[in-house]
Amino acid sequence: NVADWDKAMTVVHCAPPQCSDGIDNDGDGLIDFPADPGCQSPDDDDESGDNNTADLETSKSGPAQVTKGGTVVYTVTVKNNGPHGSKNIVITDPIPTGLTFNAGQSNAKCAQVGNNVVCQPFALFGGQSVQVQVAFNVPLGTGQCAPSTIQNTASATTSANDPVPGNNASNT
């Protein structure tokens, strides 16, 4: 029949959601659910995670004493209390007055940026945590040895919406 030759058929294909398309859509080196914390499910169409809610909690610990001329190493722990994954997590630790950053004894993702040590980037699913060691050299000083106190605070930020920002910093 000649009339059948005049008919055309168009097939419409739908692109898969970003979290199941096999492409690193946000350029973070992580592809799709479950590898990418920005994805909440394979059906999620936003791999960036910028619309996620993630409560980061930061804690910091270190030695009670350090000898002048020695090195003090702090452990900074950042936990994602959820409910979603979080990406682009940055840990910032201001260098305490009089100390110098010791890159050799610190986590490889940490570097000095001005008067801060910045550790980045990290990505955590809800319930996961990351620990980094940040080391500082304590100067010998001059004159008599008098006890002193080192105050040090670390904090974490993320591109996700954090509903409890009050627990993002910890000092020791």
Side-chain angles (χ1 to χ4, degrees):
N1 185 332
V2 175
D4 288 338
W5 286 95
D6 294 339
K7 294 180 184 177
M9 182 194 292
T10 303
V11 177
V12 178
H13 293 280
C14 295
Q18 285 189 2
C19 291
S20 60
D21 65 1
I23 299 171
D24 181 14
N25 296 288
D26 57 359
D28 65 357
L30 304 170
I31 298 173
D32 295 346
F33 181 83
D36 194 327
C39 297
Q40 301 311 306
S41 77
D43 299 323
D44 189 352
D45 199 32
D46 180 11
E47 198 170 277
S48 72
D50 289 338
N51 296 320
N52 293 343
T53 300
D55 173 24
L56 297 185
E57 180 180 352
T58 304
S59 61
K60 185 171 189 175
S61 61
Q65 297 180 3
V66 62
T67 304
K68 289 187 177 201
T71 301
V72 59
V73 180
Y74 295 103
T75 299
V76 180
T77 304
V78 177
K79 181 179 181 190
N80 179 357
N81 292 321
H84 299 124
S86 179
K87 299 201 274 189
N88 306 315
I89 297 172
V90 177
I91 300 169
T92 304
D93 191 345
I95 299 172
T97 303
L99 305 188
T100 56
F101 175 56
N102 183 324
Q105 292 188 25
S106 296
N107 185 284
K109 288 191 169 193
C110 299
Q112 184 171 346
V113 179
N115 293 324
N116 296 304
V117 175
V118 178
C119 307
Q120 65 181 347
F122 297 97
L124 299 171
F125 287 103
Q128 285 186 320
S129 61
V130 64
Q131 285 189 334
V132 296
Q133 279 69 45
V134 181
F136 299 100
N137 298 317
V138 181
L140 282 171
T142 57
Q144 294 193 354
C145 183
S148 60
T149 301
I150 300 170
Q151 292 292 326
N152 190 239
T153 301
S155 61
T157 58
T158 180
S159 59
N161 298 315
D162 191 334
V164 189
N167 64 354
N168 291 9
S170 177
N171 56 18
T172 184

